[in-house]
Amino acid sequence: MVTMKWLEDNSFPVKNGKCEQLIHSHSFLQEIFTDTNFPMYCFGSQSIEEDNSFEGLSCIAEEEQSILDAVLLSQWEDRMRKGCFRYDVTASEIKAIAGKMKFLSQLNEGQITGHLSKPEGNTLREWDPFAFDCMRQPEELLFCVSSSKKAKSELIPSASVPDSAILVIINVTPVEYGHVFLVPCTTNRLYQFLDPRSVELVTRVAAEINNCSFRVFYDCCRPNRSNVYFQACYFPDPLPVEFRPVDTVYSGGRRGIHICSVIDYPIKTLSFQTTHNLKIMAAAICEICSHLEEKNVQYNLMITDSGKKILLFLQRSFAASNAISAWECGGYFLFRCRYEFDQVTEDAMLKRLSSFSLDDDNFEAVKQLCCSIASKFDS
Amino acid sequence: MDSKLRLIQQSLNTRYSEWIREALDDLPDNFTITDPSISGHPIVFASRGFLKMSRYSREEVIGQNGKIFQGPKTNPRTVMEIREAIREERGVEVSLLNYRKDGTPFWMLFHMRPVFGKEDGRVIHFVAVQVPISTKQRRNGGVSLSEDGSGLNEVVFGSCRKEVDSDSLLELRRVLSLDSGSKVLDIEETCKASDFEERRAATAFNNILSVLTHCSELTGRLVCGKRCSVPGAGYVSSSLNISLGRIKQSFVLIDPHLPDMLIVYASDAFLRLTGYDRHEVLGHNFRVLNGVDTDTSTLHQIKESIQTEQACTVRILSYRKDKSSFWNCLHLSPVRNASGKIAYFVGVQIEDDCKNRDGHGLSPEMRQLSAVGAVKVAVRTSSISAGSSKS
């Protein structure tokens, strides 16, 4: 498959890959990082791990643009100027669908040229993200993110391969401005399963970008069970799901984990917040996710509110090819045809989301699972 | 910081004359006025009643965003509703849990409405009236009781206000005793205002509006409570103004649809770089930066890039207000709105002789491109129209 081809042939062979590709990918990465003046963003050690940095609310106006926000936007805009994308996503139309949910829809005609996705119902299906050849187009790799021992976060304009990092790679068929893949990796492998460290790192990315439009997504069902990756882009704020009222499901533990269920929304959704320790919340969410995978419950994650909130969308157990993306769960729908875009109604989208949603009984079970795992980590 | 304070001063003075603060100080109500066109959407006026209620001094409040009064129990959805109203430039009335300076929370009815410029229909200010919701009535829910309770509040506050100059110590004691009477230890999750409080908020807003309208007659730049004219093409919405305020680079937005390619937004950094005041560049042609030695072929290149809807980067000699010149590395790029159409051109300036990486490792070129990206995100996400897909 195309997916595995990129991964195995070109960059990051899985463990035991003592094949030439390893050397090959190493030299490739070395080349990127040293010769082409490749930027690396290092998290400072003091930023988010401090307990109090997670307080505060989403506010009416944000502060000054952060460094990481500037890095991502500048690199993305640079690639746009160099013509790396298949189309200009800002030329696609967005509108709000009339109704109380304030669903958003986008006419993304550029997607028609994408050869990977098949039409599914009236919205776009998830497409294969690794259908680009990184070897042929090294400029698709924007920069990488890693932790450092320094106190303050900084950008190193040219760096060597870090031991453990997140690669930030453009999606050449973007759904919104700034659309990138966040791919956790260590020197010689990618991740097969969601791990706490990756969840923590991408949440830190969201926190350090500190832009209320920025969202990170994770879809549990990846085509061909490819390696773990996240996606991110700048969406209108808030997304429809964030407008909905919530009910507290769990709170009051020592580590400040707070779980709510979103009410009056067609797809079953839980929201996780912490006032204290991101690391522990990431670990709890990971364990919840691995239980869900075991039970064959499909889910998506959406990190929002500058890393302060993580939403968990719960889908019915279909075949993996038959699940919707996290932004769709959040209320942002993509259309490839003008007629469908013009005809869309809130009712149709409500029906669509509820047809993918986990049922009530299973949702209760998931809530209980979340509470018991949270209380284990939260004590 | 000085330049921001100056902007805040001008925000009221140029629109309502210098008498405005005095006139507003005569009103007994609790309210703030904010200006969405200044970076950070700051408070430009806070009434005496508001300061008394929140226990902040005027200096601590002016220039701040309203979020400083929110705290851990403030409902994020309510904050979102307010933000949404600002985005849509309409009024909103919600019960909001705010926090005093000492950290004690209190429920109030938050009644916010935009004030529009009569001549161009753009939002000039937002007025937020804040009526404390008394605890007594919440417990009993009776209308007659609540009217009594709130009426009492008003009397006490009213008398406090009169004493403000003569005996501040007595006033302080009164306020404290009043508060100890209505102190709430357990803050409820939600709270609903009574009809009386809603009426009171509406009346207060009308009184404030009539003062603003009256004072705007003194400057000839009239305001009104309802949008009298549809904003023209040269108009930047409040929400876009607020989003753009985050971007600290020097840049302007040009509206390519207007006959003379006028500047419709100028960032604070642009004003600092060029020495102009905002009103001296808004509505003026981008040519204001040109001078005797500006190369005409470069100007032609800029014009061509706008006509062909392409991005371009040029090095051009520009002039400040004081006629001093600087080499300007200008990057110009089309910016599309949510309909996918070109709404603006953004022009980001960097002064040529300060081309070092900053303390965080960002080069000026990266800063420049990041400003372009940030403007694109801001324009795209703040221009989504509801309902109809007709563009």
Side-chain angles (χ1 to χ4, degrees):
Chain A
M1 299 309 296
V2 196
T3 319
M4 301 312 286
K5 193 164 182 287
W6 177 71
L7 297 175
E8 289 178 357
D9 289 1
N10 298 333
S11 325
F12 309 101
V14 287
K15 232 170 133 186
N16 304 331
K18 49 172 185 176
C19 43
E20 297 146 81
Q21 286 105 322
L22 183 67
I23 309 149
H24 195 58
S25 73
H26 255 299
S27 60
F28 167 66
L29 276 179
Q30 293 288 1
E31 194 183 315
I32 283 179
F33 282 100
T34 52
D35 292 358
T36 58
N37 220 11
F38 206 75
M40 177 157 79
Y41 183 83
C42 293
F43 287 130
S45 54
Q46 61 163 219
S47 49
I48 243 169
E49 293 181 4
E50 280 172 19
D51 274 4
N52 55 4
S53 58
F54 251 72
E55 284 169 7
L57 284 161
S58 59
C59 39
I60 293 172
E62 287 75 35
E63 294 75 27
E64 201 168 322
Q65 191 181 35
S66 74
I67 314 163
L68 188 54
D69 198 27
V71 173
L72 176 55
L73 287 169
S74 67
Q75 296 303 293
W76 214 85
E77 182 63 25
D78 175 65
R79 299 313 187 273
M80 204 160 157
R81 275 214 273 177
K82 289 176 179 158
C84 295
F85 298 96
R86 299 235 172 97
Y87 48 86
D88 176 1
V89 71
T90 66
S92 59
E93 187 179 339
I94 325 171
K95 67 166 183 181
I97 301 170
K100 66 164 187 169
M101 288 291 174
K102 303 186 183 194
F103 284 141
L104 297 169
S105 61
Q106 189 201 111
L107 176 62
N108 195 324
E109 287 170 309
Q111 289 286 343
I112 294 169
T113 56
H115 54 283
L116 290 153
S117 48
K118 295 184 216 97
E120 158 73 24
N122 53 359
T123 55
L124 287 175
R125 277 248 305 102
E126 182 70 58
W127 53 89
D128 189 336
F130 289 121
F132 55 88
D133 189 337
C134 196
M135 196 60 167
R136 212 167 45 209
Q137 266 132 23
E139 71 272 11
E140 289 177 4
L141 193 50
L142 295 184
F143 59 98
C144 78
V145 178
S146 150
S147 7
S148 80
K149 294 201 169 61
K150 289 192 182 167
K152 258 177 66 186
S153 298
E154 63 173 349
L155 180 72
I156 301 169
S158 119
S160 55
V161 188
D163 287 343
S164 162
I166 288 182
L167 305 179
V168 182
I169 301 167
I170 57 168
N171 184 336
V172 294
T173 54
V175 298
E176 253 312 331
Y177 195 89
H179 194 163
V180 288
F181 297 112
L182 305 174
V183 187
C185 70
T186 57
T187 323
N188 56 5
R189 69 181 182 95
L190 293 167
Y191 289 90
Q192 300 292 314
F193 299 101
L194 203 60
D195 73 301
R197 176 86 184 131
S198 305
V199 176
E200 189 200 333
L201 274 178
V202 294
T203 310
R204 285 186 68 173
V205 169
E208 296 227 354
I209 280 190
N210 193 27
N211 182 326
C212 63
S213 292
F214 186 77
R215 309 274 169 28
V216 181
F217 303 96
Y218 177 77
D219 298 317
C220 81
C221 44
R222 303 175 296 279
N224 316 316
R225 305 241 10 115
S226 71
N227 295 292
V228 166
Y229 63 87
F230 297 80
Q231 305 191 56
C233 60
Y234 294 85
F235 267 119
D237 175 62
L239 283 177
V241 65
E242 297 169 76
F243 273 122
R244 306 322 303 167
V246 293
D247 253 353
T248 299
V249 170
Y250 174 89
S251 74
R254 215 163 49 84
R255 307 287 194 164
I257 295 180
H258 191 91
I259 307 176
C260 294
S261 75
V262 175
I263 48 182
D264 196 17
Y265 194 70
I267 195 153
K268 298 285 189 281
T269 308
L270 291 170
S271 106
F272 293 76
Q273 280 168 286
T274 177
T275 48
H276 290 79
N277 195 316
L278 179 63
K279 207 174 230 162
I280 285 175
M281 184 169 82
I285 286 180
C286 258
E287 185 161 331
I288 290 166
C289 290
S290 81
H291 274 84
L292 293 175
E293 281 179 42
E294 251 170 50
K295 303 240 158 56
N296 202 21
V297 174
Q298 297 194 9
Y299 65 88
N300 318 69
L301 296 173
M302 176 169 100
I303 303 171
T304 181
D305 205 1
S306 300
K308 293 189 202 81
K309 193 190 284 177
I310 300 182
L311 294 177
L312 170 67
F313 302 109
L314 295 152
Q315 297 191 34
R316 200 182 282 270
S317 320
F318 285 118
S321 59
N322 212 348
I324 50 176
S325 61
W327 46 81
E328 201 170 332
C329 295
Y332 191 94
F333 302 91
L334 291 164
F335 294 87
R336 57 174 61 211
C337 145
R338 161 68 67 180
Y339 178 77
E340 286 170 353
F341 176 74
D342 284 345
Q343 297 301 314
V344 65
T345 61
E346 182 174 277
D347 269 357
M349 293 303 98
L350 284 170
K351 276 204 192 93
R352 177 172 168 78
L353 284 185
S354 26
S355 75
F356 280 95
S357 175
L358 193 68
D359 58 48
D360 290 341
D361 290 347
N362 281 315
F363 186 49
E364 283 309 314
V366 170
K367 277 199 235 175
Q368 279 170 17
L369 172 79
C370 291
C371 288
S372 72
I373 291 175
S375 61
K376 190 177 88 187
F377 280 92
D378 205 22
S379 55
Chain B
M1 281 301 98
D2 276 355
S3 73
K4 188 172 179 186
L5 275 179
R6 204 162 49 92
L7 283 175
I8 287 168
Q9 284 255 315
Q10 283 172 350
S11 171
L12 290 177
N13 292 0
T14 58
R15 181 61 67 168
Y16 309 109
S17 87
E18 280 161 32
W19 303 107
I20 183 66
R21 286 177 190 78
E22 237 169 87
L24 290 174
D25 264 339
D26 281 342
L27 296 172
D29 312 283
N30 307 337
F31 63 96
T32 55
I33 299 178
T34 55
D35 185 342
S37 75
I38 302 177
S39 163
H41 194 190
I43 295 168
V44 295
F45 181 83
S47 75
R48 293 188 196 200
F50 177 83
L51 295 171
K52 192 169 293 170
M53 177 178 71
S54 65
R55 297 184 194 156
Y56 282 92
S57 72
R58 192 158 274 173
E59 293 70 35
E60 290 169 319
V61 165
I62 299 296
Q64 297 292 328
N65 184 277
K67 73 180 181 197
I68 65 162
F69 308 109
Q70 295 155 17
K73 290 263 166 102
T74 307
N75 187 344
R77 281 189 69 237
T78 313
V79 176
M80 217 179 268
E81 264 178 71
I82 297 169
R83 198 165 61 177
E84 198 60 9
I86 293 170
R87 194 168 85 79
E88 291 167 6
E89 306 193 321
R90 57 171 168 78
V92 66
E93 188 172 84
V94 288
S95 300
L96 183 69
L97 187 72
N98 262 3
Y99 287 72
R100 297 186 188 89
K101 192 184 174 187
D102 61 14
T104 53
F106 64 101
W107 278 103
M108 50 105 177
L109 179 66
F110 183 88
H111 177 106
M112 186 192 73
R113 284 167 66 178
V115 174
F116 301 95
K118 198 158 199 168
E119 76 282 6
D120 55 9
R122 60 179 81 180
V123 173
I124 307 302
H125 291 117
F126 283 97
V127 172
V129 178
Q130 319 194 356
V131 179
I133 300 173
S134 85
T135 43
K136 201 189 258 175
Q137 107 207 13
R138 256 184 295 147
R139 238 173 268 130
N140 297 301
V143 176
S144 64
L145 230 176
S146 76
E147 290 209 20
D148 287 353
S150 304
L152 186 72
N153 271 359
E154 195 162 44
V155 170
V156 179
F157 270 117
S159 60
C160 285
R161 204 179 56 76
K162 285 192 198 92
E163 284 156 5
V164 77
D165 296 324
S166 57
D167 191 348
S168 56
L169 199 71
L170 179 68
E171 174 212 8
L172 185 71
R173 212 175 297 136
R174 268 177 194 268
V175 169
L176 287 176
S177 69
L178 178 77
D179 277 329
S180 62
S182 62
K183 200 165 194 171
V184 202
L185 291 173
D186 296 318
I187 281 297
E188 285 100 302
E189 295 247 322
T190 56
C191 174
K192 203 179 156 359
S194 67
D195 292 350
F196 175 77
E197 281 147 351
E198 284 172 9
R199 276 202 307 279
R200 209 175 135 195
T203 313
F205 177 81
N206 287 334
N207 292 341
I208 298 159
L209 183 63
S210 93
V211 169
L212 294 179
T213 317
H214 179 73
C215 286
S216 71
E217 282 164 7
L218 298 173
T219 65
R221 303 178 68 202
L222 297 183
V223 296
C224 47
K226 290 216 171 67
R227 191 167 255 161
C228 310
S229 60
V230 181
Y235 164 76
V236 173
S237 71
S238 306
S239 66
L240 180 54
N241 246 320
I242 293 166
S243 309
L244 294 174
R246 271 184 95 224
I247 307 165
K248 298 302 170 191
Q249 285 84 356
S250 166
F251 70 97
V252 291
L253 290 191
I254 299 162
D255 190 332
H257 308 296
L258 295 177
D260 203 21
M261 294 191 297
L262 303 180
I263 296 173
V264 293
Y265 180 89
S267 72
D268 292 354
F270 176 86
L271 302 177
R272 273 199 302 277
L273 174 68
T274 61
Y276 285 103
D277 273 339
R278 188 161 269 129
H279 69 268
E280 293 171 315
V281 285
L282 290 191
H284 288 78
N285 187 281
F286 199 42
R287 280 191 301 267
V288 291
L289 295 187
N290 303 341
V292 277
D293 289 324
T294 306
D295 183 27
T296 46
S297 69
T298 316
L299 290 174
H300 186 73
Q301 208 183 328
I302 292 173
K303 206 169 174 188
E304 205 174 67
S305 104
I306 292 179
Q307 271 162 2
T308 56
E309 307 190 332
Q310 298 295 316
C312 80
T313 308
V314 294
R315 189 167 172 271
I316 187 169
L317 193 69
S318 294
Y319 290 79
R320 298 187 182 84
K321 189 184 179 183
D322 64 9
K323 301 295 172 214
S324 62
S325 65
F326 62 96
W327 280 105
N328 178 357
C329 289
L330 174 71
H331 178 69
L332 212 65
S333 172
V335 178
R336 294 172 185 273
N337 60 16
S339 321
K341 305 206 161 44
I342 292 176
Y344 307 106
F345 267 80
V346 60
V348 191
Q349 296 82 20
I350 330 177
E351 220 178 327
D352 201 24
D353 54 2
C354 50
K355 295 198 83 172
N356 299 318
R357 281 180 186 269
D358 64 15
H360 309 291
L362 289 176
S363 66
E365 288 78 13
M366 285 174 85
R367 286 272 178 206
Q368 193 171 36
L369 281 178
S370 81
V372 174
V375 168
K376 286 185 175 179
V377 169
V379 169
R380 192 160 163 78
T381 56
S382 63
S383 57
I384 297 170
S385 61
S388 159
S389 71
K390 287 173 191 72
S391 40

